C-alpha cells in the first residue's frame, strides 16, 4: 500500500424540496473528487458514500 496516495472529496448538500405533509427534507448531494475534478450528483447519503468508497478504492 502506497501511503502517499490521497483521495479528497468536497461534499455539498443543497435542499431540493420539503414534503408539505411530513416536513421531510429532500437533499441534492454533490460530491467532487478533487484529484480527478469529477462532480457527481446524488439523492441520498448512502449513494454518495458508496461513490466515495469506490473512488477511494481506485486511488
Amino acid at each position: 500500500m502506497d501511503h502517499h496516495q490521497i483521495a479528497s472529496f468536497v461534499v455539498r448538500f443543497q435542499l431540493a424540496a420539503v414534503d408539505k405533509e411530513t416536513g421531510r427534507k429532500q437533499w441534492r448531494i454533490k460530491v467532487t473528487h478533487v484529484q480527478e475534478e469529477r462532480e457527481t450528483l446524488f439523492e441520498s447519503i448512502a449513494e454518495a458514500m458508496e461513490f466515495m468508497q469506490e473512488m477511494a478504492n481506485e486511488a
Side-chain angles (χ1 to χ4, degrees), residues 5-7 33 36 38 51-59:
Q5 291 181 321
I6 297 174
H33 181 251
E36 292 187 8
R38 177 179 169 186
F51 169 78
M52 289 187 282
Q53 181 67 51
E54 289 174 6
M55 294 301 293
N57 287 339
E58 292 176 9

Side-chain angles (χ1 to χ4, degrees), residues 2-53:
D2 184 355
H3 295 286
H4 299 287
Q5 291 181 321
I6 297 174
S8 302
F9 301 93
V10 175
V11 181
R12 175 185 283 166
F13 290 79
Q14 179 181 2
L15 186 59
V18 178
D19 187 292
K20 291 181 182 181
E21 292 181 17
T22 65
R24 183 175 179 188
K25 296 177 181 178
Q26 297 174 348
W27 295 96
R28 179 175 297 119
I29 304 164
K30 181 169 76 171
V31 177
T32 304
H33 181 251
V34 175
Q35 285 72 23
E36 292 187 8
E37 298 181 10
R38 177 179 169 186
E39 295 181 345
T40 308
L41 293 174
F42 301 95
E43 293 183 5
S44 75
I45 295 171
E47 291 173 333
M49 292 299 294
E50 183 178 327
F51 169 78
M52 289 187 282
Q53 181 67 51

